[in-house]
Amino acid sequence: MASGHFFWAIFYFACLCSASLANNAKVNFREKEKKILDQILGAGKYDARIRPSGINGTDGPAIVRINLFVRSIMTISDIKMEYSVQLTFREQWLDERLKFDDIGGRLKYLTLTEANRVWMPDLFFSNEKEGHFHNIIMPNVYIRIFPYGSVLYSIRISLTLACPMNLKLYPLDRQVCSLRMASYGWTTADLVFLWKEGDPVQVVKNLHLPRFTLEKFLTDYCNSKTNTGEYSCLKVDLLFKREFSYYLIQIYIPCCMLVIVSWVSFWLDQGAVPARVSLGVTTLLTMATQTSGINASLPPVSYTKAIDVWTGVCLTFVFGALLEFALVNYASRSDMHRENMKKKRREMEQASLDAASDLLDTDSNATFAMKPLVRHPGDPLALEKLRQCEVHMQAPKRPNCCRSWLSKFPTSPFKKVPCLGRGQCSRSKRIDVISRITFPLVFALFNLVYWSTYLFREEEED
């Protein structure tokens, strides 16, 4: 009989164990999460208006650690001085009122999607212009509560932030754009922001920007003091380098080509007035249009930019080429007037010589008078002989390298021979020859000074 009771006792105990195991296997942990949330966030148990205590439960400030993940940088606008960025923003703090039992390590954390159910730091982006959350397909935000009371808040946001730029070296410049985060209402006595230890800022790999390169980024603190107290602040400085190859192809090379094309007028004949005027005006208008297009993509600043120096000098060279033709045209008309005056003078001298010879012939036939051996100073024949003597008796001069080289041109004014035709040794031709040499040399010197100055200044900025 006793053995029978013992058997039934063992059987009953085995049934209880199997039922207990079955119940454990069917535990719904989501129900457990609901009960835990109701326990720690229930009415009268948690007040989201009260900030957490300080370290080790003291009355010190609550410590909030921040880290960011930069997903993309969309645009960097020079004219508006702003940039757009999409990032995952995370902040973590300790709230001992949210501690719970993790059921032997089976509950790693609790997840919330409503940020208003727990206390949240009043962080804001101080240099923000526009911003929005992402709600497709569901709001991209979550809150995780860990068993020891730690709270992790994560959200994906897109921001348009102000970025004051210094464009003195544009387009050889580097720009520093900041992302500033500060507390709006809690002073440093109640709330302190700190960067998360380790790697507080991550940037997505293969970040591509159309005109910039992200060289590096730096984290720092930027606490601000006002008449209402001191507020905690964090900042990230993003260092962008402008891609110069785009501006070299779109601005610098076309401007050089326009300047060189304007020099073609120096090689055209001075009588080709329509061709030279059309070339000068066309290059001038094209250069002016190029300059206005560049300035339209930049803000109106009070200082001079590197691109302003380049376009201004190029515009000056093109305008100078047009003025050179005006000077050549004036010199050509002056040479023509001078040539006409010389022609009239020669005709008058020839007429006087003919009259004198006729008079002498008449006198010789009538009275057989002999010609005087010495003529008066005003005698035309004496003047002509004197000119011939001056030509043959000129003292030889030392050879000049520059004049020797210029004498190779048929338009050179340095040939000491009479002009054989109109314009052969005219001043207008001389101006064209000098311009063919002077303009390229001065432009090459300007390029040397320009690139040396701004490239060295860029290295000093670095």
Side-chain angles (χ1 to χ4, degrees):
M1 189 70 180
S3 61
H5 286 292
F6 181 73
F7 172 78
W8 287 109
I10 293 176
F11 178 75
Y12 181 72
F13 180 74
C15 291
L16 289 177
C17 290
S18 61
S20 176
L21 290 173
N23 290 333
N24 287 337
K26 295 180 180 179
V27 171
N28 190 342
F29 288 98
R30 304 291 79 80
E31 289 292 335
K32 290 289 184 180
E33 289 182 11
K34 178 181 179 305
K35 290 181 181 180
I36 293 173
L37 287 174
D38 290 340
Q39 290 176 2
I40 62 177
L41 298 177
K45 295 183 179 181
Y46 184 88
D47 193 344
R49 298 172 297 175
I50 308 301
R51 71 168 180 87
S53 58
I55 300 175
N56 298 325
T58 61
D59 195 33
I63 305 299
V64 179
R65 298 192 177 273
I66 307 295
N67 71 92
L68 305 173
F69 176 66
V70 179
R71 293 181 173 271
S72 64
I73 299 176
M74 280 76 75
T75 57
I76 301 176
S77 175
D78 295 316
I79 190 168
K80 294 182 179 180
M81 291 195 178
E82 64 184 21
Y83 72 105
S84 300
V85 61
Q86 182 186 128
L87 52 88
T88 298
F89 172 75
R90 307 185 190 98
E91 50 187 359
Q92 193 167 7
W93 66 93
L94 181 64
D95 193 343
E96 295 183 352
R97 297 172 295 175
L98 299 176
K99 289 183 178 180
F100 63 90
D101 183 13
D102 60 355
I103 313 177
R106 296 185 180 183
L107 282 179
K108 294 183 178 180
Y109 52 80
L110 303 175
T111 301
L112 293 177
T113 56
E114 300 175 3
N116 58 354
R117 298 193 63 183
V118 297
W119 177 86
M120 292 288 299
D122 60 343
L123 180 142
F124 77 105
F125 297 92
S126 58
N127 60 333
E128 172 206 354
K129 287 186 174 182
E130 295 179 359
H132 66 273
F133 302 124
H134 293 266
N135 297 317
I136 299 174
I137 299 176
M138 293 293 292
N140 299 164
V141 59
Y142 68 79
I143 298 175
R144 290 177 181 175
I145 303 175
F146 295 88
Y148 51 90
S150 178
V151 181
L152 173 63
Y153 175 74
S154 177
I155 187 171
R156 186 167 73 99
I157 53 178
S158 291
L159 301 171
T160 300
L161 304 166
C163 179
M165 297 182 182
N166 186 351
L167 300 173
K168 288 184 178 180
L169 298 181
Y170 176 91
L172 300 166
D173 58 333
R174 283 177 169 85
Q175 301 297 336
V176 178
C177 295
S178 298
L179 174 63
R180 295 174 175 266
M181 299 160 287
S183 173
Y184 188 80
W186 299 97
T187 63
T188 53
D190 297 314
L191 178 63
V192 173
F193 292 122
L194 297 176
W195 287 112
K196 183 180 179 181
E197 297 177 357
D199 196 8
V201 177
Q202 301 92 34
V203 179
V204 65
K205 295 181 180 179
N206 301 322
L207 179 64
H208 295 289
L209 298 173
R211 299 185 185 179
F212 289 88
T213 300
L214 178 61
E215 287 193 328
K216 60 182 178 180
F217 52 88
L218 303 172
T219 58
D220 201 356
Y221 296 89
C222 54
N223 291 4
S224 60
K225 290 184 179 180
T226 66
N227 56 3
T228 58
E230 181 180 0
Y231 298 90
S232 183
C233 175
L234 304 178
K235 72 172 182 176
V236 184
D237 290 331
L238 304 172
L239 179 60
F240 296 103
K241 180 182 179 182
R242 199 181 298 272
E243 287 291 345
F244 180 68
S245 58
Y246 169 81
Y247 300 93
L248 179 65
I249 297 172
Q250 297 293 326
I251 296 176
Y252 284 92
I253 292 180
C255 289
C256 281
M257 294 173 65
L258 286 173
V259 172
I260 294 172
V261 167
S262 68
W263 299 341
V264 175
S265 63
F266 305 153
W267 300 88
L268 297 178
D269 186 76
Q270 60 181 357
V273 176
R276 297 188 70 162
V277 171
S278 301
L279 183 63
V281 172
T282 302
T283 52
L284 182 63
L285 292 178
T286 307
M287 191 67 219
T289 305
Q290 180 88 344
T291 303
S292 62
I294 295 169
N295 292 329
S297 61
L298 295 172
V301 294
S302 59
Y303 48 82
T304 302
K305 304 179 289 293
I307 195 67
D308 294 336
V309 176
W310 175 265
T311 55
V313 172
C314 290
L315 190 62
T316 303
F317 270 93
V318 175
F319 183 66
L322 185 60
L323 290 183
E324 189 269 351
F325 171 67
L327 182 61
V328 165
N329 187 266
Y330 172 78
S332 176
R333 287 185 284 109
S334 176
D335 292 338
M336 187 180 299
H337 176 71
R338 184 179 61 179
E339 195 68 26
N340 291 334
M341 294 299 294
K342 287 182 179 180
K343 185 177 180 181
K344 289 180 180 180
R345 191 179 300 112
R346 285 195 297 268
E347 290 177 352
M348 292 176 63
E349 291 177 355
Q350 186 64 35
S352 62
L353 288 174
D354 293 342
S357 60
D358 292 341
L359 181 61
L360 291 174
D361 291 341
T362 304
D363 293 342
S364 62
N365 292 330
T367 62
F368 303 99
M370 296 181 65
K371 297 179 181 180
L373 296 178
V374 179
R375 296 185 180 273
H376 297 288
D379 196 344
L381 292 176
L383 290 176
E384 183 66 22
K385 294 293 185 180
L386 183 61
R387 287 197 194 98
Q388 294 179 4
C389 291
E390 287 178 354
V391 170
H392 292 287
M393 295 176 62
Q394 282 181 348
K397 293 185 177 180
R398 285 178 145 186
N400 189 307
C401 298
C402 182
R403 292 189 176 188
S404 300
W405 182 81
L406 286 173
S407 64
K408 298 178 182 179
F409 294 94
T411 61
S412 174
F414 299 99
K415 291 183 178 181
K416 296 303 181 179
V417 295
C419 296
L420 300 178
R422 187 180 65 185
Q424 182 179 355
C425 55
S426 61
R427 288 178 297 173
S428 59
K429 294 290 186 179
R430 183 192 317 174
I431 295 172
D432 272 343
V433 172
I434 295 175
S435 299
R436 294 172 193 174
I437 306 166
T438 306
F439 273 72
L441 287 179
V442 176
F443 189 67
L445 180 62
F446 161 71
N447 272 270
L448 180 63
V449 174
Y450 179 86
W451 295 112
S452 301
T453 301
Y454 284 102
L455 289 178
F456 287 151
R457 286 183 62 182
E458 183 185 10
E459 293 178 359
E460 292 176 1
E461 296 268 338
D462 295 344

